[in-house]
Amino acid sequence: MLQPRAEGALSAIGTLLTDRQRIDSQRTMNRNASNALIRKIDLGIDARKASTDRQLVEIGSWREHPTDDVAEHYARTEATRRATAVGDTDR
């Protein structure tokens, strides 16, 4: 006689896989949004190519600049938030 599958274990694995896919999608979205911000507004990062992990760490450590105008201020803040989120999901 065949034994039924362990429903609890399969359900847990399905939940973990779905959550992993969501985390990967969120990380990709944050990385792409950070790339778009640094390409649109000059914040001192070479944005001709996609940002590297090292650049994202640098962006995540940015602080406010007193010389930034309003657009640069909000772009820097959002890029920092998104770069930090990418770093958080990589851990």
Side-chain angles (χ1 to χ4, degrees):
M1 182 179 237
L2 296 173
Q3 295 181 357
R5 292 183 175 173
E7 292 295 326
L10 287 177
S11 179
I13 290 172
T15 301
L16 290 172
L17 287 174
T18 302
D19 199 39
R20 182 77 242 171
Q21 289 171 346
R22 182 192 57 78
I23 290 169
D24 288 342
S25 295
Q26 186 73 33
R27 180 180 45 241
T28 301
M29 184 183 73
N30 284 329
R31 184 179 286 271
N32 289 342
S34 182
N35 285 334
L37 280 170
I38 62 175
R39 284 182 177 150
K40 185 171 183 171
I41 298 176
D42 182 21
L43 298 173
I45 293 285
D46 182 12
R48 291 176 289 177
K49 297 180 186 175
S51 56
T52 63
D53 290 338
R54 180 173 285 168
Q55 286 174 321
L56 288 174
V57 169
E58 179 184 340
I59 292 168
S61 68
W62 280 350
R63 300 293 177 251
E64 289 185 21
H65 287 206
T67 59
D68 283 350
D69 63 16
V70 173
E72 290 171 339
H73 170 75
Y74 285 106
R76 188 178 304 277
T77 302
E78 185 64 14
T80 302
R81 187 184 70 78
R82 296 220 181 233
T84 303
V86 169
D88 290 345
T89 57
D90 286 342
R91 286 183 220 143

